[in-house]
Amino acid sequence: MNSYVLGFWEIDKTKLAMVGGKGANLGELSGLTGIQVPEGFCVTTEAYKEIIGNNEEFHSLLDQLFLLKADNREGIGEISAKIRKVIEGTAIPKGIDIEITRHLARLGEKNAYAVRSSATAEDLPTASFAGQQDTYLNIIGKEAILRYISRCWASLFTDRAVTYRIQNGFDHRKVLLSVVIQRMVFPQAAGIMFTADPITSNRKVVSIDASFGLGEALVSGLVNADIYKVREGRIVDKKISAKKLAIYALKEGGTEEKKIEAERQNMQTLTDEQILQLERMGRTIEAYFGRPQDIEWCLDENKFFIVQSRPITTLYPIPDVQDGKNHVYMSFSHQQMMTDAMKPLGLSFFELGFQDKPEDKPKETLLIQAGGRLFSDLARDLASPVRRMIVLASMGKIDPLVLNALKSLMKRKAFMKSLARSGKGFFSMGTGYFSWALVIQAIKIYRGNDGSLVQTLMSQNEEYIRDLQQRIANLSGEKLFAFIIEELKRLKEAMYDPKSMGVVYAGSLALSWINKNMEKWLGEKSAADSLSKSVANNVTSEMGLALLDVADVVRQYPAVMKYFQHVNDETFFEDLAKLEGGGAVSHAIQAYLEKYGRRCSGEIDITRPRFSEQPTAIVPMILSNIKNFAPNAHNAIFEQGLLEAKQKEQDLLNRLEQLPGGKQKAKKTKKMISRLRNFTGYREYPKYLMVGHYWSFKQALLKEAVKLVQKGVIREKEDIYYLSFAELREVVRTNLLDYSIITKRKEEYEVYEKLTPPRVMTSEGEVMSGEYEPGNIPKGALAGIPVSSGTIEGRARVILKMEDAAIEEGDILVTTFTDPSWTPMFVSIKGLVTEVGGMMTHGSVVAREYGLPAVVGVENATRLIKDGQRIRVNGAEGYVEIL
């Protein structure tokens, strides 16, 4: 028999599919000691299914709705209105009517009720549909209640609810609706309580909004509420607002707005004692549900009633470190130019590369996972005066926003006193590879200034990768995993080899010497930018220019260009083989992938598809190159950069010679420019080396995944991405896996993808936001870090995914972050703006080499700058103006 109605006392979280998020939460709350919930019942999703089940008109309209995209407002509005009309016009069957009548009789048919929607995809830990469906207050009498139940069902198809589902990929047919019927409380005051501060995300601070009358005045934005902040049983802040209006219930049903008497408008809504009582209730509810809650409450005759509690879904997760000490987590993802969520295999694999002994997981790890990203714990560094000084000095060069956030945190004496002193910290990451051998090598290389050294290092490493590919090809099972762990140690040694790092430091020293002294002697800022154009041995900028050669092959064949408008990933090379010129194009692309196929966007995550796995990712850039450049542009661009660098060098030397002691200054500068051009290109190589190893490891691990699919252990080979490296090793050893782990991790990853990681947060969950010093920034301009000088105006192209790139001549790229895989796009753009980055990150290095004015670290750039707007980028002072 169908259960059409359930009382709150019959409901718990196992009934979620029948009563939706709101209903399930009310059922759970009703059983909590010390928490008062107004009585009520739920009309279950079974009743809704009965209403729509065989309704042909409803299903025909729903089919039409499935074809619409979120931006088709008119179509959504038209079809949604028809669906609502159909639902409201359908009579409630007798069986459902009888059950509702029985429950109303039990609670008192003459009482007033709130009739509220509760969708099955609402108020869940992973999705908030808050405010998507309707609520009706102070409804009296069975007939009125039945009418409003129909309206609630229909509200599943308001324009905003339909649009939200389309945007978030929810199937209209799978989201069902229950209706909550709850006895009305006629409160003297009502409001919302967040058990984590919604502004700062601090989990220790409860934030309470309160106003007179029903809470609807507050929710609908009619009044400014009082706001109280409570921390561990102590009121730490109060904001008493002028409350001019309130919404009250009418005796005959419905609600009305009333003006509040002048003498009450500035009164505190709740007494201090009531505020603390509410905080205690909030903490009880939070502890029961096991996560921070957004709670609706009301106060009637000095008694608090809870009318709703839902999880707060927007908080960034904090690492699960329960040592009673304070921690400070800095986003390592920002330092790596990769703020997207990573899958578990990607996270654990990258972590392995930073461990001293990859084979065993040390208690004090260098990196910590939270929300699908990597963080480093700075607590130990900030607790020690010497370490603190080093961290602050480093951050001053890398990321001023992190620096300023840390400085503001350091003013909190009580917080600093309770900092954890264990853990490895950022200091260890920065100095783990420091050695006197490195210092000696750096000095030796700097003095020797031998340009051929870079080529030697690169050749040796490429030879090693070729050898690695042969050695790994025949390994499987436990031998493969043991081999990878040994090779990760070897990779770490190769990347941080004193000779290799010595070259990087020598280039950095030359760059900083030139910038410092040219500004001091000639008053010229960022002089090294022009001198860095078209330097040798930069694998990243060469990757961009090499794609121009591929474009030159493609442009000769109209049939291939036509196919490139709608390529197919699965059959890309087979399709090319059938076209005129397809063979030549295939050959050119394969040659390109041979060298650069190991790369992709977000390449520090081994699970991301490489260009070799998804060659169609480079097609939009090839088409942009054909559109924006004449043939043989590769050589023309490189030669032009070379010419400009030489002219700049000559200009600086000529001007220096005019100064007192000019001959000596010019001689020194000439030597420094030579060092810059010999060594600065190598800055990009260590990461290229790392992704080369990753590509070999990935191919071998995917072979293991195919075997697991064949044995029925996993369903598709990509499932291994949702296991850590250690877990995958165990699954390959035993051929056993609880598949629910994969399902759960996939759901978590979907949530993490939507979150924005903070640069800095504390173990209390507080997100610390630093700010830039205003300096020379015009009013209204967006501030950032100047990384490549020059000023440019142009059309903003806001691109979040590389495959969406349709760049035209003169465009300025605005994006979240760029890593080396974005470089082919740099050839076509005239300027660069990113939300993440620093002076020596990949995008900045390549921007200087290509001569593109660039500003990085511009917070929320992709939201504040709209695609197609005209903007001006000032790469010398570090700001962006929207024109």
Side-chain angles (χ1 to χ4, degrees), residues 71 142 152 179 288 291 326 398 410 455 480 484 505 507 520 549 622-623 628 661 734 765 796:
D71 56 4
K142 184 189 132 180
C152 278
V179 181
Y288 178 77
R291 59 190 305 147
N326 288 333
I398 299 171
M410 279 159 51
Q455 200 55 58
L480 171 66
I484 288 175
Y505 285 149
K520 186 170 122 188
D549 297 335
I622 293 171
L623 291 173
N628 297 328
T734 61

Side-chain angles (χ1 to χ4, degrees), residues 734-752:
T734 61
N735 287 313
L736 296 170
L737 170 68
D738 173 1
Y739 198 80
S740 67
I741 293 171
I742 304 287
T743 309
K744 182 172 173 273
R745 299 247 176 102
K746 283 182 177 179
E747 285 167 4
E748 284 172 350
Y749 178 72
E750 275 186 29
V751 176
Y752 296 157

Side-chain angles (χ1 to χ4, degrees), residues 336-367:
Q336 281 296 320
M337 301 302 99
M338 166 58 179
T339 54
D340 289 351
M342 290 167 74
K343 296 188 180 86
L345 184 64
L347 286 164
S348 65
F349 208 88
F350 194 75
E351 269 188 292
L352 274 176
F354 275 92
Q355 281 171 11
D356 298 328
K357 295 178 183 169
E359 65 275 12
D360 53 51
K361 179 92 172 160
K363 281 179 192 162
E364 296 180 343
T365 54
L366 281 169
L367 294 170

Side-chain angles (χ1 to χ4, degrees), residues 409-698:
L409 193 62
M410 279 159 51
K411 290 174 187 162
R412 301 183 191 176
K413 299 281 183 278
F415 184 91
M416 295 297 286
K417 221 178 241 178
S418 184
L419 280 171
R421 279 163 168 76
S422 59
K424 296 256 182 155
F426 176 78
F427 179 88
S428 310
M429 293 180 71
T431 58
Y433 315 113
F434 174 85
S435 64
W436 286 111
L438 166 57
V439 174
I440 292 161
Q441 279 293 352
I443 294 167
K444 209 168 161 184
I445 291 162
Y446 184 78
R447 284 183 176 158
N449 194 16
D450 175 8
S452 67
L453 173 63
V454 172
Q455 200 55 58
T456 306
L457 284 171
M458 287 164 73
S459 299
Q460 283 168 357
N461 279 307
E462 287 308 301
E463 184 57 44
Y464 190 87
I465 286 184
R466 282 192 288 276
D467 177 51
L468 167 71
Q469 283 166 342
Q470 285 173 349
R471 285 184 296 133
I472 204 170
N474 302 315
L475 295 177
S476 65
E478 185 50 35
K479 281 184 178 171
L480 171 66
F481 285 88
F483 176 83
I484 288 175
I485 280 184
E486 281 308 308
E487 281 304 319
L488 278 169
K489 284 192 237 172
R490 162 71 188 64
L491 170 62
K492 185 177 166 185
E493 284 163 13
M495 284 178 73
Y496 297 100
D497 169 66
K499 211 174 245 184
S500 185
M501 291 308 283
V503 171
V504 173
Y505 285 149
S508 295
L509 285 169
L511 182 133
S512 106
W513 188 94
I514 291 166
N515 280 340
K516 187 178 152 195
N517 287 294
M518 294 311 101
E519 188 168 0
K520 186 170 122 188
W521 295 336
L522 299 172
E524 181 158 343
K525 268 189 177 182
S526 310
D529 292 1
S530 301
L531 297 166
S532 303
K533 288 180 183 178
S534 299
V535 294
N537 300 317
N538 186 325
V539 283
T540 305
S541 53
E542 281 167 10
M543 174 170 77
L545 295 173
L547 201 62
L548 289 165
D549 297 335
V550 178
D552 283 348
V553 178
V554 175
R555 75 170 80 234
Q556 299 170 52
Y557 303 107
V560 174
M561 282 174 66
K562 191 179 175 190
Y563 170 65
F564 272 19
Q565 304 296 333
H566 48 84
V567 286
N568 186 325
D569 247 324
E570 303 298 310
T571 57
F572 182 62
F573 287 112
E574 291 95 310
D575 293 346
L576 279 178
K578 298 169 195 163
L579 301 170
E580 190 191 340
V585 169
S586 245
H587 181 73
I589 290 176
Q590 298 276 20
Y592 183 81
L593 294 176
E594 185 62 35
K595 191 163 185 188
Y596 304 111
R598 60 181 80 173
R599 312 219 84 150
C600 69
S601 178
E603 61 195 11
I604 66 166
D605 180 354
I606 195 173
T607 73
R608 290 285 195 108
R610 312 281 133 178
F611 290 161
S612 284
E613 294 171 280
Q614 198 180 11
T616 54
I618 63 175
V619 166
M621 293 184 280
I622 293 171
L623 291 173
S624 286
N625 286 346
I626 293 169
K627 191 161 139 195
N628 297 328
F629 295 99
N632 201 26
H634 177 159
N635 292 336
I637 290 170
F638 189 80
E639 293 303 324
Q640 180 62 27
L642 210 50
L643 180 67
E644 286 171 19
K646 280 179 180 164
Q647 285 172 343
K648 185 70 191 176
E649 177 176 2
Q650 208 44 59
D651 169 57
L652 291 173
L653 297 178
N654 289 345
R655 283 157 62 199
L656 285 169
E657 282 176 356
Q658 313 303 312
L659 303 175
K663 285 254 185 301
Q664 197 54 32
K665 284 173 180 160
K667 192 178 170 189
K668 256 188 179 179
T669 303
K670 191 173 174 59
K671 202 171 251 182
M672 283 299 175
I673 293 171
S674 166
R675 286 184 181 118
L676 176 80
R677 295 194 60 80
N678 277 338
F679 301 135
T680 199
Y682 187 75
R683 164 73 181 74
E684 293 294 294
Y685 188 76
K687 195 172 189 185
Y688 178 76
L689 175 65
M690 181 184 89
V691 295
H693 280 69
Y694 272 25
W695 177 224
S696 299
F697 299 151
K698 182 179 189 177

